[in-house]
Structure formats: structure tokens, C-alpha cells
């Protein structure tokens, strides 16, 4: 075993990872969803398992992805289901990674029957906020537990991608934020990703543009370094 492989080992570490997009039901056949493929979360699970971790992957809707070898898979639909599953799994996890694309809002009411188009113009869809799972996990954090969040930002006229990322890291209170620059075909449904790893001590490590497996490796390198520090 090479010394750097030992240094990066996740042997004996239980990691909980969320991946994919949530689906918020409108009626028995319709939902509000998003374009998340789940590829980044699955790559994180695969690399963690390869490094010896016990991995629980909580997956919402994803592209047709193979479950990585040795990974326990839990399937969820809505944000509320994802929240319940993550709280359960996080209670026993050393590291928690929220890579899922959680719907910010869900329909206020779920119609038990299919909504029909008869009767003139449709009613607007009333929405309510979903719980912020990452914030909840941070407040329920066990001693020594490391929590990683994700952010996909575009930046705009007034605020850069990095500034949005810094503000999000503060707001969420997590130990690491994986910040991705999106837009112009970046990140979503793509094989490649680019961004930074932000931490509350102010460190901002660029993640070189590359496959999502490489991003996953960068995340686990940073996590391992922090786990070793805190021991
Ligand atoms: N997240 C979460 N629960 C939510 C929304 C987001 O746990 N209801 C998590 C995501 O999994 C991700 C991080 O929070 O790890 C950032 O998600 P993002 O959508 O960028 O943050 P929001 O707080 O929803 O802010 P925005 O208005 O930019 O969407
Ligand atoms: Ca959001």
C-alpha cells in the first residue's frame, strides 16, 4: 500500500450521501422536478467505497445509473422523504454529504385524484417551502461529524459565483461547501464539473475542471484531511 493511499483511506468511516433530484407530487401522476442526474453523488459514493468507507447512498430521481459496488442504496421521492431518510442515516454517519438537488418548494396540497382540464382556466399552483435539510443536519450534527454541502451558482451583475458560495457556506453552517459554476451547459447533465472547495476557515481550493470522479476525489481528499486533523 502506498503511503498516500493510506493517508486517503476511508477505512472504518461511515459516509451518508444524498444524490439526484427530488420530485414534488401535484397529483397521482404529476410532479415538479429538476434536471439533476445524480452523477456527482454517485461518483462520490463510488470513490468513497473504493477508499474503504461504508457508504449509504440516498437517491432521489436520477439518470439510469448503476449502483456502485458495495454501496447501500435508499430510494426516495420527495424532499420530505429525503429529509427523513437523511436524518435516519446521519444519526450513524461520520460524514454527511448533501449532493442532492432538493426542490425548494412543494405544492401546498396533493390532490388525491388526477387534476382534470375541464372547467376553464387552471388554478395557479400554490407552493410552500420545503425544509432546508442541510441546515437541519448541521443543527443535529454529532460530535466530530463532518457535513459537506453543495452549491451550484451562476453569478449575476452584482454578485460573483464565489461570493454567492461564501454567503451560502455561512448560511448553511457546514464544514465544506463544494461550489460549482453552472450555466452555459456547465455541470447539469454533464460528465465534467468545475469549481471550488470552500471551508469556514476561509480556505478556497480550486477544483480543476475534470470528470465528476475527479471532483469526488478532491472532496474525499479534503474530508480525509479534516477527519485526521480532528483526531
Ligand atoms: N439543500 C437542502 N435542503 C433544501 C435545499 C437545499 O439540504 N431544501 C442543500 C443542497 O443539497 C445543497 C445545499 O443545500 O447541498 C445548497 O443548495 P442550494 O439549492 O444551492 O441552496 P438554497 O439554500 O436552496 O439556495 P438557493 O436559493 O440558491 O437555491
Ligand atoms: Ca435551492
Amino acid at each position: 500500500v502506498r503511503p498516500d493511499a493510506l493517508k486517503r483511506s476511508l477505512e472504518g468511516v461511515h459516509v451518508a450521501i444524498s444524490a439526484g433530484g427530488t420530485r414534488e407530487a401535484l397529483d397521482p401522476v404529476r410532479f415538479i422536478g429538476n434536471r439533476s442526474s445524480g452523477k456527482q453523488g454517485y461518483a462520490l459514493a463510488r470513490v468513497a467505497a473504493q477508499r474503504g468507507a461504508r457508504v449509504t447512498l440516498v437517491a432521489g430521481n436520477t439518470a439510469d445509473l448503476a449502483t456502485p459496488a458495495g454501496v447501500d442504496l435508499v430510494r426516495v421521492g420527495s424532499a420530505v422523504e429525503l429529509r427523513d431518510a437523511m436524518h435516519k442515516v446521519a444519526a450513524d454517519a461520520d460524514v454527511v454529504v448533501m449532493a442532492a438537488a432538493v426542490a425548494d418548494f412543494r405544492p401546498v396540497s396533493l390532490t388525491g385524484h388526477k387534476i382534470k382540464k375541464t372547467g376553464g382556466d387552471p388554478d395557479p399552483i400554490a407552493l410552500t417551502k420545503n425544509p432546508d435539510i442541510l441546515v437541519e443536519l448541521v443543527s443535529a450534527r454529532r460530535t466530530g461529524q463532518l457535513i459537506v454541502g453543495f452549491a451550484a451558482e451562476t453569478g449575476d451583475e452584482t454578485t460573483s459565483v464565489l461570493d454567492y458560495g461564501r454567503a451560502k457556506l455561512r448560511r448553511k453552517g457546514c464544514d465544506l461547501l463544494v461550489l460549482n459554476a453552472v450555466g452555459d451547459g456547465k455541470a447539469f447533465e454533464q460528465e465534467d464539473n468545475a469549481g471550488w472547495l470552500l471551508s469556514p476557515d476561509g480556505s478556497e481550493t480550486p477544483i480543476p475542471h475534470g470528470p465528476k470522479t475527479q471532483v469526488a476525489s478532491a472532496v474525499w481528499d479534503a474530508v480525509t484531511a479534516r477527519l485526521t486533523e480532528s483526531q
Side-chain angles (χ1 to χ4, degrees), residues 96-181:
V96 179
V97 184
M98 279 298 296
V102 186
D104 291 332
F105 307 103
R106 67 174 181 277
V108 170
S109 55
L110 166 63
T111 321
H113 53 84
K114 191 181 163 199
I115 300 165
K116 303 298 286 181
K117 71 179 171 205
T118 45
D121 288 339
D123 289 332
I125 297 169
L127 299 175
T128 185
K129 248 193 188 145
N130 269 327
D132 193 316
I133 304 168
L134 180 55
V135 166
E136 285 187 4
L137 291 168
V138 166
S139 30
R141 172 171 30 202
R142 306 161 59 201
T143 319
Q145 188 178 59
L146 235 129
I147 303 185
V148 183
F150 268 74
E153 304 287 349
T154 60
D156 52 38
E157 306 76 35
T158 58
T159 312
S160 69
V161 169
L162 258 172
D163 281 336
Y164 275 128
R166 291 170 182 133
K168 192 159 281 175
L169 174 66
R170 278 195 298 275
R171 205 163 63 239
K172 303 281 185 179
C174 50
D175 304 294
L176 267 181
L177 187 79
V178 186
L179 173 62
N180 290 306

Side-chain angles (χ1 to χ4, degrees), residues 6-31:
L6 262 184
K7 203 172 69 195
R8 295 189 314 192
S9 165
L10 288 166
E11 213 75 54
V13 178
H14 180 204
V15 308
I17 303 166
S18 71
T22 67
R23 288 179 161 186
E24 311 301 319
L26 278 161
D27 72 11
V29 294
R30 304 186 180 95
F31 58 82

